[in-house]
């Protein structure tokens, strides 16, 4: 059994001469470290210089992480200690237990500092070191953090890594997770991106034509519920990009959200004091639909494409320069 | 896990330290979302109130102040867009966190813009509060940070860069700080393993090294410059950081992402230690990080994100000319689309991802992608340059929504407090608004066979004078930057020249 739950108070550091900070007072952006931080870091630096890998060194890193969880040098050293000690254990069972405990420790820090860069990378290193890793044990932690902070980039990155590393693309749990999150928030772009990863970056196999069609109708359905959602439109065009399908087959679908022919540009122009936003509502339900139409028409129906870009200039004026750039490409 | 509920115990773990208590409660997946009906009704009331204001004020369409016409017009447009936005939400999709958060931010920006547009007292449009920002920065530069800043212990070279860069952008010439800057950087150099760390006695970290070297160039002192161990740096990068797939890690065993690649390439360029081995496979790896949406994720398959996208695009454009690199290694039209989509029609500022909120720091992370995009599509008769994004809009966001006009400093969005990171990157973003960068393809042709990073040194910069693109206002002007490095123009170039000369 390791000394995992021991703190610095359980060890003696009498033989250690802490390495002091040499930065002179009055230097720029100097931090007035607390006495505790100075001592703990001094001990760690002394250990680092002689590469001591021991339980008391481990206890010192925990104390440092508690004071400053963003200290990558301390995390890196902690990993070296864990690696060193675990490799010295005589059986896989003991190694497994030792690393499991470390995963638990890491989890407690992750829950408190979910946006920390070091934690997830550290976890990845531990899983790689583990003699018998079980990815499913990771899910409760990931779910806890993602449910609370549903676009947390690092957590999604870690989940993506897990799926790749353990080849979990076809696990029910993964697509279910995405579906639950999208049911809660149809604009969760991280979930859409993860869905695309599961479906189209699958290491094991490519989707069949039938499955691709199913995916297309799924996203179309989502668009119908929220026509002005960039995530689902990007997903739709992403599928077409990835599979090389022809976007012109989306013309009908797009027209449901903005019928280009029926729109008079003059109607879109807002005149002083006159509120005609109601008219716009009837004819344009989605900027993205009109944009896609402009792309669909760009090859063979330039006049229509231009019209779409003109409409976009009116209804999405912040991107005026972009629409005029797109017009210049048609010339 | 299935569709049911997953529970995480509100537990306490013990390991080599004091107890760390879960700050979290029990979580349940699939629990119903609480629709806060009251706050929704309040929202609607507020919208109606603002709309009534708008109707009244819209008659004030010509304002007798020539100098602020375009800024005013732009604000008016942002206000107008706010009114039209309701057309794009329907009952089905308004109850989500994304929409709730988005509406809050839209409301607070709108309130600010409407207060200027509807102002009968003819108050000035927001200007850059230079004096206050200078005060905020120089005060922080010299006074000691309290112990609570310890979480920034491993970001010390970053803080140094954020503050110094912001000061330089504002036009300050550093004086006695130069020597102190150089000493602080050299103290953070890891003499045992190579690289520069976040502070004294820390492991070399490529992002710390990047920020340290940017600010090191501002010291303009060859005696200090010559104290960087470039050999060790190169060895460290090749053995501890470079990955077989062409990417880089932040530090030994550290995370691998486009930020690390960007920092590695800029560091190698600044020190003139770039070799074909160092950059082997790098552009290809970066290309794999482009997502279905057109932006770049931190690594392949991850969501497109402003910071990672800037790093990927700037990296590609360090390795070659923008036209070639952004067509060969990525889908340029998709990248342009994703980048312009980041600008909020009501806020004017940039968001970092689809369906995320605007944030002042993306004025650089997204705004900083445009010099490359604009250079990639530039044609030679660009006398009527309009650019690809709405410069007056971003400028309105930065000046109107991100400034602490009393205490100085800039921030993320209305309601936030200023910090050094946001102060620097919003200012860099404002500088992007005010300048046009073009790529000197002729110069590049002459240089490209002599060094691998020639492209980073081929950008010409012009101050924009067309008010319809960006309202010219002398008080708001900032210095231009080198778009690849994100540092005030001229200094990194001089330092690299020094290393170039000393390698001969
Ligand atoms: Zn920010």
């Amino acid at each position: 059994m390791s000394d995992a739950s021991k703190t610095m108070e359980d060890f003696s550091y009498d033989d250690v001469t802490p390495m002091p900070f040499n930065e002179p007072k009055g230097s720029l952006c100097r931090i007035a470290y607390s006495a505790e931080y100075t001592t703990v870091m001094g001990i760690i630096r002394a250990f680092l210089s002689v590469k001591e890998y021991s339980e008391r060194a481990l206890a010192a890193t925990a104390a440092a992480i508690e004071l400053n969880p963003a200290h990558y040098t301390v995390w890196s050293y902690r990993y070296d200690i864990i690696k060193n000690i675990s490799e010295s254990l005589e059986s896989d069972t003991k190694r497994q237990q030792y690393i499991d405990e470390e995963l638990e420790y890491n989890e407690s820090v992750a829950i408190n500092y979910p946006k920390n860069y070091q934690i997830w990378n550290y976890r990845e290193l531990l899983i790689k070191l583990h003699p018998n890793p079980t990815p499913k044990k990771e899910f409760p932690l990931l779910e806890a953090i993602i449910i609370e902070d549903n676009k947390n980039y690092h957590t999604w990155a870690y989940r993506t890594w897990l799926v790749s590393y353990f080849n979990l693309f076809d696990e029910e749990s993964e697509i279910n997770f995405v579906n639950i999150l999208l049911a809660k928030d149809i604009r969760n772009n991280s979930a859409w991106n993860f869905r695309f990863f599961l479906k189209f970056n699958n290491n094991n196999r490519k989707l069949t034509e039938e499955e691709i069609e199913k995916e297309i109708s799924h996203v179309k359905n989502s668009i119908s519920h929220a026509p002005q959602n960039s995530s689902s439109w990007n997903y739709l065009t992403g599928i077409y990009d990835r599979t090389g399908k022809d976007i012109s087959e989306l013309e009908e679908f797009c027209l449901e959200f903005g019928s280009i022919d029926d729109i008079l540009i003059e109607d879109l122009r807002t005149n002083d004091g006159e509120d005609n936003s109601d008219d716009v509502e009837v004819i344009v339900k989605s900027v993205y639909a009109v944009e896609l139409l402009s792309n669909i028409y760009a090859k063979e129906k330039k006049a229509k494409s231009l019209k779409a870009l003109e409409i976009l200039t009116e209804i999405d004026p912040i991107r005026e320069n972009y629409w005029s750039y797109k017009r210049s490409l048609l010339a | 896990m299935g569709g049911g509920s997953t529970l995480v115990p509100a537990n306490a773990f013990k390991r080599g330290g004091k107890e760390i208590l879960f700050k979290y409660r029990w979580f349940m997946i699939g629990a119903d979302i609480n629709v806060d009906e009251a706050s929704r009704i309040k929202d609607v009331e507020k919208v109606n109130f603002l709309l009534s204001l708008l109707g009244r004020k819209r008659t004030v369409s010509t304002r007798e102040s020539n100098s602020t016409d375009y800024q005013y017009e732009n604000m008016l447009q942002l206000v107008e867009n706010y009114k039209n936005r309701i057309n794009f939400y329907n009952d089905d999709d308004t109850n989500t966190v994304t929409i709730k958060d988005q509406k809050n931010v839209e409301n607070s920006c709108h309130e600010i813009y409407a207060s200027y547009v509807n102002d009968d007292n003819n108050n000035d449009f927001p200007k850059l509060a230079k004096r206050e920002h200078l005060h905020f920065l120089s005060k922080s530069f010299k006074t000691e940070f309290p112990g609570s800043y310890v979480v920034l212990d491993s970001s010390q070279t970053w803080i140094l860069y954020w503050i110094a860069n912001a000061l330089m952008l504002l036009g300050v010439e550093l004086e006695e700080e130069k020597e102190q800057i150089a000493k602080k950087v050299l103290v953070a150099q890891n003499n045992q393993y190579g690289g520069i760390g976040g502070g004294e006695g820390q492991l070399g970290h490529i992002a710390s090294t990047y920020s340290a070297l940017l600010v090191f160039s501002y010291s303009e002192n060859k005696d200090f410059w010559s104290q960087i161990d470039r050999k060790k740096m190169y060895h460290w990068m090749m053995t501890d950081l470079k990955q077989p797939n062409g990417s880089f890690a932040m530090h030994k065993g550290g995370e691998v992402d486009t930020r690390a690649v960007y920092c590695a390439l800029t560091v190698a360029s600044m020190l003139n230690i770039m070799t074909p081995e160092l950059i082997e496979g790098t552009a290809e790896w970066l290309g794999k990080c482009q997502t279905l949406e057109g932006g770049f994720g931190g690594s392949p398959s991850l969501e497109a994100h402003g910071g990672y996208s800037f790093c990927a695009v700037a990296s590609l454009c360090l390795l070659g000319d923008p036209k070639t690199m952004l067509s060969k290694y990525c889908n340029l039209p998709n990248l342009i689309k994703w980048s312009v989509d980041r600008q909020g029609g009501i806020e004017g500022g940039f968001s970092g991802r689809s369906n995320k909120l605007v944030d002042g720091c993306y004025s650089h992370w997204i705004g900083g992608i445009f010099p490359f995009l604009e250079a990639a599509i530039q044609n030679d008769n660009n006398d009527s340059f309009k650019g690809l994004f709405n410069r007056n809009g971003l400028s309105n966001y930065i000046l109107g929504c991100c400034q602490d006009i009393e205490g100085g400093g800039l921030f993320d969005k209305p309601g936030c407090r200023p910090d050094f990171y946001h102060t620097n990157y919003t200012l860099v973003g404002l500088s992007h608004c005010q300048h046009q960068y073009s790529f000197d393809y002729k110069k590049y042709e002459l240089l490209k066979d002599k060094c691998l990073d020639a492209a980073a040194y081929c950008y010409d910069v012009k101050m924009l004078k067309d008010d319809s693109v960006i309202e010219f206002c002398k008080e708001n002007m900032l210095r231009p930057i080198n778009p690849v490095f994100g540092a005030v123009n001229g200094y990194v170039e001089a330092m690299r020249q020094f290393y170039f000369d000393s390698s001969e």
Side-chain angles (χ1 to χ4, degrees):
Chain A
M1 189 54 215
S2 77
D3 291 328
S5 56
K6 289 192 173 165
T7 68
M8 281 183 82
E9 284 131 48
D10 299 314
F11 298 100
S12 164
Y13 298 86
D14 294 345
D15 58 319
V16 189
T17 316
M19 264 170 89
F21 290 110
N22 294 314
E23 189 167 46
K25 242 188 149 49
S27 75
L28 296 178
C29 305
R30 191 173 183 273
I31 301 170
Y33 301 118
S34 67
E36 190 186 7
Y37 190 74
T38 310
T39 311
V40 173
M41 284 313 301
I43 290 172
I44 288 179
R45 289 180 57 200
F47 282 157
L48 258 172
S49 69
V50 296
K51 297 191 174 171
E52 175 169 326
Y53 301 125
S54 62
E55 291 297 341
R56 69 172 183 171
L58 196 68
T61 61
I65 285 166
E66 205 181 334
L67 296 168
N68 176 13
H71 209 308
Y72 65 89
T73 304
V74 175
W75 279 107
S76 165
Y77 177 42
R78 186 173 176 96
Y79 173 74
D80 287 342
I81 299 170
I82 293 287
K83 182 169 189 286
N84 220 275
I85 294 179
S86 70
E87 279 167 359
S88 73
L89 298 171
E90 59 270 33
S91 74
D92 263 2
T93 321
K94 284 198 170 146
R95 257 191 289 284
Q96 180 170 332
Q97 193 187 356
Y98 192 76
I99 297 169
D100 277 341
E101 277 170 33
E102 186 61 9
L103 282 166
E104 274 185 25
Y105 163 74
N106 172 276
E107 181 167 314
S108 68
V109 185
I111 281 288
N112 284 309
Y113 305 98
K115 286 200 160 69
N116 176 301
Y117 271 105
Q118 276 76 43
I119 281 151
W120 303 102
N121 178 59
Y122 185 77
R123 234 179 144 74
E124 188 179 316
L125 292 173
L126 289 179
I127 296 278
K128 285 177 178 164
L129 192 65
H130 200 289
N132 184 25
T134 32
K136 290 206 168 139
K137 274 191 178 169
E138 300 295 295
F139 293 153
L141 170 68
L142 289 175
E143 268 139 45
I145 290 176
I146 289 175
I147 290 300
E148 193 71 2
D149 179 10
N150 56 43
K151 297 169 184 173
N152 183 312
Y153 201 85
H154 306 305
T155 317
W156 279 108
Y158 183 65
R159 189 162 191 130
T160 306
W161 173 78
L162 272 182
V163 168
S164 290
Y165 191 74
F166 291 101
N167 202 3
L168 309 173
F169 292 92
D170 296 317
E171 293 285 317
E172 276 292 296
S173 62
E174 295 309 297
I175 195 68
N176 283 348
F177 184 57
V178 167
N179 285 336
I180 288 165
L181 286 166
L182 289 179
K184 280 185 100 171
D185 189 346
I186 205 167
R187 284 181 165 80
N188 185 340
N189 197 58
S190 305
W192 279 107
N193 184 77
F194 191 71
R195 183 183 187 99
F196 197 84
F197 160 71
L198 289 178
K199 298 279 176 184
F200 295 94
N201 291 11
N202 190 332
N203 289 338
N204 312 321
R205 60 190 193 90
K206 275 205 158 78
L207 292 189
T208 63
E209 194 56 36
E210 201 178 324
E211 284 169 316
I212 294 170
E213 287 304 327
K214 214 177 128 198
E215 203 54 20
I216 289 172
S217 71
H218 174 88
V219 65
K220 279 181 175 172
N221 184 43
S222 156
I223 288 172
S224 304
H225 282 287
Q228 187 60 7
N229 177 7
S230 58
S231 300
S232 44
W233 282 102
N234 287 349
Y235 191 87
L236 180 64
T237 51
I239 297 177
Y240 277 74
D241 252 9
R242 178 60 65 92
T243 57
K245 288 174 90 71
D246 183 3
I247 50 168
S248 55
E249 68 184 51
L250 290 171
E251 181 184 354
E252 283 291 294
F253 178 69
C254 291
L255 286 170
E256 289 173 31
F257 307 98
S259 150
I260 290 189
D261 294 331
D262 302 341
I263 298 172
L264 294 173
I265 299 293
E266 295 72 51
D267 287 347
L268 296 171
R269 295 220 166 104
T270 38
N271 300 314
D272 275 344
E274 214 177 292
D275 183 357
N276 48 10
S277 52
D278 290 345
D279 307 335
V280 185
E281 188 179 19
V282 177
I283 37 191
V284 181
K285 287 193 191 132
S286 169
V287 169
Y288 305 108
V290 181
E291 184 182 358
L292 187 47
L293 283 170
S294 85
N295 291 336
I296 289 169
Y297 295 139
K299 268 191 218 138
E300 280 158 11
K301 295 175 182 160
K302 290 205 171 155
K304 279 192 172 200
S305 183
L306 277 172
K307 174 94 182 275
L309 290 168
E310 262 181 88
I311 294 169
L312 288 164
T313 309
E314 296 300 326
I315 62 174
D316 188 30
I318 194 89
R319 270 163 282 283
E320 186 184 355
N321 291 344
Y322 176 59
W323 307 129
S324 102
Y325 162 69
K326 298 267 280 187
R327 272 203 302 274
S328 76
L329 295 180
L330 287 175
Chain B
M1 79 104 196
S5 61
T6 305
L7 301 171
V8 177
N11 202 348
F13 287 112
K14 267 178 134 187
R15 176 92 189 213
K18 290 176 211 157
E19 267 185 4
I20 300 178
L21 282 169
F22 270 55
K23 281 183 189 151
Y24 277 48
R25 43 191 169 74
W26 295 74
F27 299 100
M28 282 191 77
I29 283 192
D32 286 335
I33 324 152
N34 257 327
V35 184
D36 189 353
E37 197 55 40
S39 84
R40 256 181 63 206
I41 291 169
K42 247 175 95 186
D43 270 357
V44 173
E45 277 171 4
K46 198 165 171 190
V47 171
N48 287 335
F49 169 69
L50 288 166
L51 284 177
S52 68
L53 261 184
L54 199 69
R56 180 168 65 83
K57 292 296 175 183
R58 287 206 51 221
T59 47
V60 196
S61 60
T62 46
R63 200 177 156 103
E64 282 174 280
S65 157
N66 292 327
S67 66
T68 53
D69 268 350
Y70 284 99
Q71 193 179 350
Y72 173 73
E73 287 301 323
N74 182 270
M75 261 194 201
L76 206 60
Q77 195 183 69
L78 296 173
V79 168
E80 182 76 17
N81 291 349
Y82 179 84
K83 198 179 80 174
N84 291 333
R85 73 175 185 167
I86 38 177
N87 299 320
F88 296 117
Y89 296 138
N90 62 18
D91 296 341
D92 250 20
D93 77 311
T94 46
N95 287 342
T96 62
V97 181
T98 300
I99 288 293
K100 249 187 187 168
D101 293 349
Q102 176 62 24
K103 281 189 170 174
N104 279 337
V105 175
E106 285 178 357
N107 289 347
S108 49
C109 293
H110 176 73
E111 225 167 304
I112 290 167
Y113 297 142
S115 78
Y116 283 109
V117 168
N118 301 326
D119 177 27
D120 291 327
N121 306 323
N122 241 356
N123 271 351
D124 270 348
F125 277 111
K127 293 255 165 63
L128 186 63
K130 276 193 181 173
R131 233 163 42 119
E132 289 73 15
H133 300 323
L134 286 176
H135 177 74
F136 172 78
L137 292 161
S138 49
K139 176 188 73 189
S140 317
F141 218 6
K142 290 181 181 160
T143 47
E144 207 169 47
F145 294 128
S148 57
Y149 274 64
V150 73
V151 285
L152 295 176
D153 194 22
S154 37
S155 310
Q156 292 181 61
T157 61
W158 275 112
I159 298 171
L160 207 59
Y161 157 70
W162 293 327
I163 296 179
N165 199 56
L167 285 168
M168 299 275 287
L169 278 167
L170 288 162
V172 171
E173 289 298 337
L174 303 172
E175 283 160 33
E176 79 271 13
E177 300 94 345
K178 285 184 178 179
E179 192 177 323
Q180 287 176 289
I181 285 175
K183 285 183 173 158
K184 180 118 188 165
V185 168
L186 290 170
V187 159
Q189 186 170 217
N190 188 311
N191 296 316
Q192 202 176 355
Y193 302 108
I196 299 171
E200 186 190 347
Q202 300 182 26
L203 273 184
H205 189 290
I206 198 65
S208 308
T209 309
Y210 158 79
S211 51
L213 289 180
L214 291 184
V215 78
F216 200 47
S217 73
Y218 295 159
S219 73
E220 297 185 288
N221 184 320
K222 294 178 180 174
D223 290 334
F224 290 124
W225 287 352
S226 60
Q227 292 176 50
I228 293 287
D229 192 338
R230 293 155 68 219
K231 257 203 181 122
K232 193 164 261 168
M233 185 76 76
Y234 180 78
H235 182 76
W236 169 65
M237 287 171 73
M238 279 304 284
T239 50
D240 287 355
L241 308 187
K242 184 76 198 281
Q243 306 293 306
N245 63 11
S247 64
F248 289 84
M250 276 294 182
H251 54 91
K252 193 178 180 197
E255 62 273 24
V256 171
D257 57 36
T258 62
R259 290 174 315 142
V261 170
Y262 169 69
C263 294
L265 297 184
T266 48
V267 163
S269 175
M270 283 188 268
L271 296 178
N272 193 39
I273 54 173
M274 196 172 271
T275 62
E277 297 76 52
L278 189 79
I279 58 170
E280 199 186 330
T282 304
E284 288 80 3
W285 185 83
L286 288 166
K288 288 183 194 148
C289 298
Q290 191 179 27
T291 80
L292 70 145
E293 296 189 89
F296 288 73
S299 59
S301 300
L302 299 187
E303 185 185 2
H305 179 288
Y308 295 113
S309 295
F310 170 81
C311 288
V313 173
S315 294
L316 288 171
C317 293
L318 187 148
L319 295 171
D321 71 89
K323 215 171 258 179
T324 309
M325 296 305 282
L326 298 182
S327 310
K328 187 171 167 193
Y329 295 102
C330 79
N331 181 323
L332 180 59
N334 285 1
L335 174 62
I336 295 177
K337 179 201 149 44
W338 180 81
S339 304
V340 297
D341 269 351
R342 303 278 54 76
Q343 192 159 22
I346 289 153
E347 313 93 310
F350 288 125
S351 66
R353 303 184 237 166
S354 295
N355 279 321
K356 289 273 285 181
L357 304 173
V358 286
D359 175 344
C361 65
Y362 293 114
S363 307
H364 171 58
W365 299 124
I366 297 295
I369 295 175
F370 285 98
F372 305 115
L373 299 180
E374 289 168 354
I377 62 163
Q378 82 190 36
N379 48 29
D380 291 326
N381 54 339
N382 57 357
D383 31 21
S384 63
F385 175 86
K386 294 280 177 213
L388 278 170
F389 72 105
N390 193 321
R391 283 169 155 81
N392 273 319
L394 178 60
S395 163
N396 269 330
Y397 180 70
I398 295 171
L399 297 171
C401 300
C402 298
Q403 293 196 87
D404 180 342
I405 45 172
E406 274 145 36
L410 295 101
F411 44 75
D412 171 342
K413 59 175 68 62
C416 294
R417 287 163 61 89
D419 59 55
F420 309 126
Y421 167 86
H422 284 93
T423 300
N424 178 54
Y425 290 118
T426 47
L427 290 178
V428 178
L430 187 58
S431 170
H432 290 315
C433 292
Q434 298 165 342
H435 297 97
Q436 177 198 354
Y437 296 90
S438 53
F439 191 78
D440 188 341
Y441 284 91
K442 281 187 194 127
K443 182 178 174 188
Y444 180 62
E445 279 308 309
L446 296 173
L447 285 177
K448 70 176 187 188
D449 296 329
K450 297 196 181 82
C451 45
L452 297 161
D453 55 350
Y457 304 93
C458 292
Y459 285 87
D460 290 330
V461 60
K462 214 162 69 186
M463 193 197 289
L464 283 166
K465 288 278 174 59
D466 180 350
D467 286 343
S468 72
V469 177
I470 173 76
E471 176 92 35
F472 180 79
C473 171
K474 213 173 149 213
E475 296 113 290
N476 293 348
M477 279 312 291
L478 296 169
R479 294 165 82 179
I481 62 149
N482 178 317
V484 174
F485 296 95
V488 170
N489 231 353
Y491 296 87
V492 161
E493 293 85 342
M495 186 171 76
R496 178 181 178 274
Q497 189 61 44
F498 166 78
Y499 290 122
F500 186 85
D501 294 341
S502 43
S503 352
E504 299 265 282

